[in-house]
Amino acid sequence: MPRAPRIEYEGALYHVMCRGDRREAIFRGDQDREMFLKTLAESCERAGFVVHSYVLMSNHYHLLLETPEPNLVSGMRILLGTFGQAWNQRYQRRGHVFQGRYKSIPVAGERASDPFQFRVVADYIHLNPARAGLVGNSNGRRRIRAAVELRDERRRLSRLHQRFAHEHRVRSGRAGAGRDRGRCDGRA
């Protein structure tokens, strides 16, 4: 039976997660985390992804990402393929780094009928270390603090971007134009 195709569309938000093969650790230390984040940044640049939230646990990760173009599959292929090759080279291993197929769940954004789903998913991701019992040690607190700081910075930048976009539409005479191309629901 063939697997179901991924749902991809312009401006989509996804909760993406994947676990290490055989539930083994994929982030054995800070160097592995830095390597993943560097690879994530490169794949975001190539695919145009926007990461709103993330957490890297020892044996899995969670991402809340936005795809301005309908290219989740190709962007994730870049991320997981590049990271998997680098990880295998680093630990002189062969084969799968990740267990099966990554999971991607479409998330309703701020403009959707359920505007709170975005926040619920972001909070779920940020609180993942606390639920795993990592808050008691300094490494867990450092990761939570970094995730909260990233979330706050993303919100600040999002507000600035929205204000700038609105001012640009007003100056260019497109005050009623929607944020997304092809938007026809009348929302600004």
Side-chain angles (χ1 to χ4, degrees):
M1 182 168 137
R3 57 188 180 196
R6 301 271 183 196
I7 298 171
E8 294 183 300
Y9 57 94
E10 187 176 308
L13 288 162
Y14 299 96
H15 178 194
V16 178
M17 63 208 92
C18 195
R19 190 174 299 280
D21 198 24
R22 296 177 303 275
R23 296 184 178 241
E24 292 177 357
I26 50 177
F27 304 113
R28 297 179 178 179
D30 288 340
Q31 285 184 320
D32 292 334
R33 288 181 186 84
E34 290 170 10
M35 182 170 60
F36 183 84
L37 292 175
K38 180 181 176 219
T39 307
L40 177 61
E42 291 170 359
S43 61
C44 285
E45 187 174 317
R46 288 177 62 185
F49 290 172
V50 177
V51 176
H52 292 281
S53 178
Y54 74 92
V55 68
L56 307 180
M57 304 297 283
S58 63
N59 70 345
H60 69 283
Y61 66 85
H62 292 268
L63 304 172
L64 177 56
L65 59 86
E66 182 176 353
T67 58
E69 300 296 324
N71 60 349
L72 175 68
V73 172
S74 59
M76 290 302 294
R77 185 180 309 121
I78 294 167
L79 171 62
L80 300 180
T82 304
F83 177 78
Q85 289 174 359
W87 193 91
N88 276 334
Q89 184 176 21
R90 174 177 164 81
Y91 292 106
Q92 299 176 352
R93 291 187 52 179
R94 293 185 182 274
H96 297 283
V97 174
F98 297 101
Q99 176 179 306
R101 202 172 178 211
Y102 65 91
K103 190 172 184 180
S104 63
I105 302 170
V107 175
E110 295 173 1
R111 296 174 175 264
S113 59
D114 183 5
F116 299 106
Q117 187 179 6
F118 179 91
R119 183 168 182 176
V120 168
V121 172
D123 289 345
Y124 172 85
I125 290 171
H126 290 142
L127 294 173
N128 203 281
R131 281 191 302 280
L134 298 175
V135 176
N137 65 41
S138 63
N139 190 28
R141 284 193 300 271
R142 189 171 359 118
R143 277 192 271 172
I144 290 173
R145 189 169 40 252
V148 169
E149 289 171 2
L150 175 68
R151 181 198 63 198
D152 293 344
E153 182 66 11
R154 291 267 183 215
R155 286 180 180 165
R156 186 183 72 75
L157 291 174
S158 177
R159 285 191 300 269
L160 288 173
H161 173 72
Q162 288 172 358
R163 189 173 73 206
F164 173 77
H166 175 71
E167 290 172 3
H168 176 71
R169 286 192 302 269
V170 168
R171 277 190 297 234
S172 65
R174 299 182 341 197
R179 182 185 81 158
D180 300 324
R181 289 176 295 186
R183 201 166 175 89
C184 59
D185 61 8
R187 294 189 212 173

